[in-house]
Each structure stands twice: as structure tokens, then as C-alpha cells.
Amino acid sequence: MTTDSTTSNFIRSIIDEDLKNNTYGGRVHTRFPPEPNGYLHIGHAKSICLNFGLAEDYGGKTNLRFDDTNPVKEEQEYIDAIIEDIRWLGFDWEDRLFYASDYFEQLYEWAVKLIKDGKAYVDDLSAEEIREYRGTLTRPGKNSPYRDRSAAENLDLFARMKAGEFPDGSRVLRAKIDMSSPIINFRDPVLYRILHETHPRTGNEWCIYPMYDWAHGQSDSIEGITHSICTLEFENHRPLYEWLLEQLGVYKPKQIEFARLNLTYTVMSKRKLLKLVKEGYVSGWDDPRMPTIRGLRRRGYTPAAMRKFADMIGVAKANSVVDLEMLEYAIREDLNASAPRAMGVLRPLKITVSNYPEEMVEEFEVPTHPQDKSNTETRVVPFSREIYVEQSDFMEDAPRKFFRLSPGREVRLLGAYYVTCTDVVKDEDDNVTELICTYDPESRGGQSPDGRKVRGTIHWVSARHAVQAEIRLYNHLFTKKNPEEGGGFIQNLNPNSLEIIENAMLEPSLAEAKPGDQFQFMRQGYFAVDSVDSKPGKPVFNRTVSLRDSWKKQQGKK
RNA sequence: UGGGGUGUGGCCAAGUGGACUAAGGCAGCGGACUUUGAAUCCGCCAUUCGGAGGUUCGAAUCCUCCCACCCCAGCCA
């Protein structure tokens, strides 16, 4: 049932085994359970791809279920954003959009049952007292003085908690398990707390809200989930997950834990991302430097690339840190195949082609997808006497291996002509301001009848036809592979994570680009029209990722 | 120091006692090709599986001990 491209993993092994043993009647039913208290990031994408991907591969189903049990942190805004992001990633939960809050009534009834069975009690201890009574990792806890209340008294108190008779924090409902258990989660975990708070979905209907442990497993059970996949930190909760379900005597899904995603040069916790946004280190949740799905999307990452990435990194239980280059590989691979090519000069250097007629303009038809032989689409780029090339494509005193412009050297202007640099114009400070070149009229289209070879091919834009654009170049948000190293992530923020180029010169076909459109600027990288700031007449492009550059790499080694 | 986990090349990750003198991918390094120094293609890149013992004809896979790292003491999820 597994696809060839996906390597096996321990979760698939478990599912295979369950299928073999008919554990869940041959069903595979997963769920993605976000808490609507923030935006989704690439770590969530890993989980989403895992849950939906597994169901797809095994012919099962996946539910989207919001874990909305804490109204003090959760908001409708996040619910909407999360739904949009998962849809954008390309996954579909059909009619199975659920909320833990859908089950509040059932959860309440089950709590009553627990009380009647003598397995839960109302505790009047304060939060601080409960903490003291809980003991430590090495010292057992001790029983609350309210632990042995009668079922009748507990029932009465719990009903009054629900009725709103008591203030926040005054009482909780706790499971009665074992205060001396080495499993801290068994030391009478809190099931309900009082919160006079408006809930995004249930409004003011409730003033007691279930804790995660009381809501999650029961929700899984109600929905008939077979494999409840979560991250490693919930491993310690599994015994409680199972205990609660067993006390209720209801259907019991299997909880499986995997290691969350960590990426080099990236922070992933909601808390840290929130700090970056709140304190203005980035422009918002959708800042293209953010690892949020919205940020990556605005940057130019595609759903296909994210899914490919999730597939590449696999899933396991060992804590690990994935190299950012893997993500970059995934987006390059996708965009290389799909992105139309164009020419754009980021840092322009003017060239006057001295032997080219003053007013002449030629239009060259060049392939838009030269990497794809099956796609013959073309576009027109105008050529004239004055053009711009990349500053980095000229070197006055060039080494032998520099296959670009230099006095006396000939290069090919992509799709146009061969040109040879004859003069270098400088200002009073010795800066190169312009190049004078001659072109070979015989080399029209980029090849010469005499068959002579030109090692270098560079991109260019006709000066009088150029479209001016703002280009935003993004670099690592942090200077350290591990942003936490040393002083902490704020100290390691990269001051050059965003470089803005105000006046890049682009080929005229790019004037029509619409927000979200993506291109490969040949020899430079992949760029996406910014969805927020780009305006007709004043386009803004985000660099999604640069092309690999073995020349630069070679230079760096010297 | 109690409990629960994890340790396979620079990174991710297969592997569940015999065809493992350990898949695959990323990164790296060579080379071919090239109207993108891109892409593509070819080749190289762990005698070794946290360490030490042991069981076995045979161990990354089983046993013992040790070491390292992660998680748990929210009325967060």
C-alpha cells in the first residue's frame, strides 16, 4: 500500500501490523488536531502531510479537528487561517471538520460517570497547593484533603461548577488515580478548570473547560480515530490517554508519537515566532522570512515543494535537526520544472554596444521553458544599443576561469548576440560606470556561423525597455545554525536577512506579472511577485531561493 | 536522584539475527554535457551501526552493564 517514493517508517510498520491483525477492522483514520492559538508553520506541515498522507496511502480518512479547549488563548482568526493554510497545502477533510468543543456535552456526561464510579473528585485546593501536593520527580505526592468526598458531594459541586457558582481557579475536577505514581500524569490530573471566558464557538455556554488530557483521547474515540499521531512530548501522556478511555469503557485508538521538525537557522516554537512578530523583528506572520506556512507561501514556496520536503525528511522518534538545504532543494526541484524563465538584472551595469545602430530595436523570440523540451512556449525580448548586465558579470582584472565580461573578452548575451568588451568607463573615483562593447552581427540568436565557442553566457535587459522593480532578497533569519546558541535567538538575528534592491531592471514581459506569479530569473534564482506590496507599475519580487552557484562556491573556497 | 524516550556517515533516514564487507535523499568532492557556471548525467563519499562485554556458526539487529541527549513536577496543548 505504501508508495515507492516514500521510504518506510515506524508508523507505517505499526499500521501494516494493525491491518494484518485486523485491529481496527481494516480502517486507517487519522486526524490533524491544531489548537487555534497561532499560525501554522512548517513543523505543522510535516504533521499535516504525515496524517493526511498516511490516510491517502492506505485508503483511509483524516479529520481536521480543532483542539479548542482553552478559550483564553484561542481565536476564530486562527481557526480561519489554519483552515486556509491546510487547504492551500492541498489536503481535504471533506465533511469532517470537527472541534473538541463539539463534544463538551458528552465530555461533561462522561465526567459525571467518572465521579459516580469514584474515579474523579472536585478539589478545592488552590493551584499552588495542588502543585505542592503533587510532589516532585523523585518524591511522591500526597493526597488532597478533598480527595475522599462522597460521590454525591462531588456531583453537587461539579454541577455547581458548571452552573457558574464558583470563581475561576477556586475548584477543579480531578481524576482519582495515584498521587505516588512515578508517572506524574497519574498524580490525579486535572480534568476540568473553571474559566469564565467567552469561547470562539460555544460563546458563554460553558464556564468549565476540559483539559487537553480529558478532551483529546475522548475526541479521538468519538471520531473513531485509529492512529492518533502526535509529537514526542505527549509520550508521557499516553498512559493517561489509555487509562481514561479504559475507565469509560469506550473505543480506544492508538496514540503514536514522532519527533517534531527542527530546521537549521530557524526557530519553530509559537512563543518565539510570536515574539518575532510582536516585537517587530519581522513584518508579520506572513513575512517571507518566517517558517510559517503563510510566510513560506508569500516567499514563493509551493504546496508541492512542502509535500516533497515532508516526504524527504521522513518521520522517526529521534530528535533531529534537518538541514535547511533540504527545504531549498525541494523548492528548487519544483520550480525548476515549472517556473517560466525570464531575465532580470539585479544590480545593473550599463553597456553601450558601440557598433549597434542608434535607433535600432530587434525582438528576439526566446523559449520560456528551455529546460522543458516538450514546452515550446516563447516570449519576446527586445534588444537595443544600450543594455544592462549584472555588475557581477564584469571583472576588470579577471582570472582565466572567469567566463564573463572583461576587457577584450567575448561573451554571449543570452538569446541575442556575442559581444566583446572594448572599453571600460569609470568615474573620478575609479568606479566602473559603463562598458563599451562591440557585437558580432553574425552571431544573431547566440551562435556564430564560424562555430567559435564562447564560454560565458550572461543575462541582460534592454535599457529603454526595462521594467524597474523592487526586489527583496532574503537570507537566513539567524546567523547561527542553531539560533539558540550563545545569547539566544534574538541575539542571533541576522541583520542582513532582508536586502532590498530598489531599482532592478527586468525584461518587459514581466510588466504583466501578477501577485503570486513565479519566475526563474535566469542564472539568479526563483522569484515570486509579492502578494502584499506589489502594485501595477511598481512591481515587487521576492526571491524564493537562489539558484545553486558553483562559481560563487569556488570563489568562496579561495 | 523517579518515570518515559532516543542514539546508524556532516545532516535526514532505511534496516526488526544470515544475500549488511549497512538502502535512499540532502550536503560535499571529481568528471561529462551545457545559449542558465542552473538543470541533467556519471563516479566517489560508514570494514561500521553511542561504548564495553556476552550469546550465536553468524548481531546494527538478542542479553548485560555503562555513557550521552531529549521529555515529564501548567487549573497550556
Side-chain angles (χ1 to χ4, degrees), chain A residues 18 35 40 49 57 59 159 178 233 246 354 421 512:
Chain A
D18 286 333
E35 183 190 11
L40 260 26
C49 292
D57 287 352
D178 177 6
E233 63 272 28
E246 280 158 14
S354 58
C421 176
E512 274 128 69

Side-chain angles (χ1 to χ4, degrees), chain A residues 340-379:
Chain A
R341 311 285 124 125
M343 291 194 283
V345 174
L346 269 39
R347 298 181 174 87
L349 172 60
K350 190 173 148 189
I351 288 184
T352 297
V353 185
S354 58
N355 60 338
Y356 195 86
E358 201 95 25
E359 293 306 318
M360 190 157 103
V361 173
E362 283 177 276
E363 293 193 327
F364 288 97
E365 194 172 320
V366 300
T368 306
H369 297 274
Q371 84 293 357
D372 181 359
K373 302 233 186 335
S374 67
N375 188 336
T376 55
E377 191 184 311
T378 60
R379 66 191 196 278

Side-chain angles (χ1 to χ4, degrees), chain A residues 221-342:
Chain A
S221 178
I222 291 168
E223 294 177 15
I225 299 304
T226 56
H227 303 270
S228 178
I229 302 167
C230 60
T231 44
L232 252 30
E233 63 272 28
F234 292 101
E235 219 158 13
N236 297 318
H237 294 249
R238 193 173 61 229
L240 179 54
Y241 180 103
E242 294 177 344
W243 187 89
L244 290 167
L245 259 10
E246 280 158 14
Q247 303 318 303
L248 297 175
V250 297
Y251 165 76
K252 192 169 75 177
K254 179 174 291 174
Q255 176 179 308
I256 302 169
E257 312 84 14
F258 72 97
R260 63 180 345 136
L261 172 68
N262 292 297
L263 262 185
T264 56
Y265 299 105
T266 308
V267 294
M268 212 71 92
S269 84
K270 282 181 185 171
R271 194 204 107 232
K272 289 173 190 168
L273 295 176
L274 180 67
K275 187 177 170 79
L276 293 175
V277 172
K278 281 270 158 66
E279 298 182 9
Y281 295 110
V282 295
S283 65
W285 289 100
D286 66 345
D287 186 299
R289 292 167 293 182
M290 292 283 275
T292 50
I293 292 181
R294 304 165 98 72
L296 289 163
R297 175 184 185 176
R298 185 172 168 193
R299 168 101 167 232
Y301 274 79
T302 60
M306 311 266 288
R307 310 238 290 260
K308 164 76 180 178
F309 173 69
D311 213 60
M312 282 171 73
I313 59 175
V315 52
K317 295 196 72 161
N319 284 311
S320 60
V321 183
V322 172
D323 202 319
L324 228 210
E325 305 231 36
M326 286 232 226
L327 218 211
E328 296 186 338
Y329 175 86
I331 186 61
R332 284 193 185 108
E333 184 188 63
D334 185 35
L335 260 19
N336 175 51
S338 64
R341 311 285 124 125

Side-chain angles (χ1 to χ4, degrees), chain A residues 35 56 64 136 211 236 304 326 331 408-409 479 485:
Chain A
E35 183 190 11
E56 266 172 29
L64 170 58
T136 70
M211 297 288 291
N236 297 318
M326 286 232 226
I331 186 61
R409 292 195 192 176
T479 54
E485 189 186 304

